[in-house]
Amino acid sequence: MYINNSIIWITGASSGIGAALAVELSKRGARLILSARRLEELEKVAKVCESDSVRILTLDLAQSETFSEKAEEARSFFGRIDILINNGGISQRALAAEASLESLRRIMEVNFFGTTALTQAVLPLMKAQKSGYIVVISSVMGKFGTKYRSGYAASKHALHGWFDCLRQEMYEHNIDVTLVCPGYVKTDITVNSLTADGQKFGKMGDAQSKAMSPEQFANRLIPKLEKRNEEIYIGGKEVMAVYLKRWFPQLLNKILKNTKVT
C-alpha cells in the first residue's frame, strides 16, 4: 500500500477529521507529523495512534510568516515529506450582509492563505525529492453555496481555483494534488464556526449531529487517497448538490431556498 511507511504531515490534527485520519493512517503504517495550535490535544491524538513514528509540531495557520521554518522542522523529523494533508480550517454561521469584515478576513486567512502558504513552504522540499502529494480537505461548499456560509464557501471556492492551477504546474515535478469535498461529518466545526461578529457559534448543527463520524469518513477517504483521485466527494445526499449545481443549477437553487440550513 502506498500509505505504508509514507511520511504524512496533517494540519488540524488535534480533533475531528484530522485526528481520525491520524489514527487510521497510523494503522496503515504511515509515519506522521501532527500539527494544530493545541499541544495537549495533539499529544492525546499521538497517544492513540498505533505507531511509534509520530511527531508533533504546533502550528497556527494564521501565522504564515512561520511556515518556512515549520516546513524545515517537519522535514527534519524523518528526512522528507511525502504527503501534506491540509485539513485545518474554520467555518461560519452568519448572514452575508451582516458578517463583519474582520470575521471574513479571519476565515480567509486561515482557510485560504494559511493553506496555500503552507503548501508553498512544502513544495520546494517535494520538488527536491522529485515526488509528493498535496491533499486539501475542502468541502462541498467549494462547489456551491448556502445560507450562513458565504465567507466559508468563498474560502473553499478560492482553494479550488488555486489548487486546480497548482495541479497543472506540478505534473512535471511528479507532485499530485487532490481536493477532498466532505459533506456533513460529525465534528465540532459548527461549534467553532464564526458568527457575524467573529464569536464562536457554540452549537452543534442539526445536520452535523446526524452525520457520519470522523472515523467513518477517514476509512472511506484513505482508499481514495491511495488512488490519488483529483477530486473526492464523500457524504450523504448533500453530495448530490454538487452534481445538481453542475447540470441543473436552477433546480438546486429552488431546493436550497426551501431547505433549513443550520
Side-chain angles (χ1 to χ4, degrees):
M1 296 175 66
Y2 177 76
I3 296 298
N4 183 45
N5 212 39
S6 288
I7 297 150
I8 305 177
W9 188 6
I10 307 172
T11 67
S14 60
S15 64
I17 288 173
L21 279 172
V23 173
E24 294 304 322
L25 289 167
S26 74
K27 294 177 182 178
R28 293 162 170 80
R31 291 180 283 173
L32 301 173
I33 304 161
L34 307 182
S35 287
R37 291 178 299 165
R38 299 176 295 171
L39 176 60
E40 291 184 359
E41 296 304 312
L42 288 171
E43 290 173 338
K44 291 177 184 177
V45 175
K47 286 180 180 177
V48 296
C49 285
E50 296 185 14
S51 170
D52 293 329
S53 297
V54 179
R55 303 292 183 270
I56 291 173
L57 179 60
T58 56
L59 178 80
D60 186 340
L61 285 171
Q63 297 179 355
S64 57
E65 69 278 3
T66 68
F67 290 174
S68 293
E69 181 180 336
K70 293 286 185 179
E72 184 54 39
E73 188 175 352
R75 185 203 61 79
S76 71
F77 290 138
F78 301 107
R80 58 188 291 126
I81 300 169
D82 296 312
I83 304 173
L84 171 64
I85 300 181
N86 288 297
N87 171 69
I90 51 178
S91 190
Q92 180 191 41
R93 293 298 182 274
L95 293 171
E98 298 176 358
S100 67
L101 287 178
E102 289 76 13
S103 69
L104 294 177
R105 289 190 175 105
R106 170 71 177 169
I107 291 167
M108 291 299 295
E109 186 66 46
V110 172
N111 292 3
F112 178 72
F113 291 111
T115 297
T116 55
L118 186 62
T119 300
Q120 286 181 324
V122 169
L123 283 175
L125 307 177
M126 291 185 171
K127 286 181 180 179
Q129 65 197 29
K130 297 183 170 118
S131 67
Y133 187 22
I134 305 293
V135 178
V136 183
I137 307 298
S138 177
S139 168
V140 292
M141 288 289 101
K143 310 299 282 188
F144 63 93
T146 69
K147 303 169 187 174
Y148 307 117
R149 293 167 175 81
S150 54
Y152 179 71
S155 70
K156 297 300 184 178
H157 276 69
L159 285 175
H160 280 254
W162 197 89
F163 280 96
D164 280 346
C165 295
L166 181 70
R167 183 186 295 113
Q168 297 299 317
E169 297 169 359
M170 290 298 109
Y171 286 128
E172 64 184 279
H173 299 288
N174 194 32
I175 298 171
D176 294 321
V177 175
T178 290
L179 285 154
V180 181
C181 300
Y184 293 116
V185 182
K186 191 174 182 179
T187 71
D188 285 339
I189 190 169
T190 306
V191 176
N192 295 321
S193 61
L194 300 186
T195 59
D197 62 0
Q199 300 300 310
K200 286 187 178 182
F201 185 61
K203 295 182 288 184
M204 175 75 76
D206 291 341
Q208 259 83 24
S209 66
K210 302 170 186 175
M212 76 180 83
S213 69
E215 292 74 21
Q216 290 173 312
F217 176 83
N219 278 306
R220 290 177 62 179
L221 174 60
I222 291 171
K224 297 178 185 297
L225 293 182
E226 290 178 328
K227 296 178 181 178
R228 298 199 176 201
N229 296 339
E230 292 182 354
E231 282 200 359
I232 297 169
Y233 310 116
I234 298 176
K237 62 183 180 180
E238 66 275 7
V239 171
M240 291 302 300
V242 175
Y243 300 99
L244 288 175
K245 177 66 174 180
R246 183 180 303 168
W247 301 111
F248 305 102
Q250 290 182 330
L251 175 59
L252 176 62
N253 284 336
K254 289 180 180 179
I255 292 171
L256 291 176
K257 183 172 70 173
N258 298 307
T259 300
K260 179 183 177 183
V261 179
T262 58

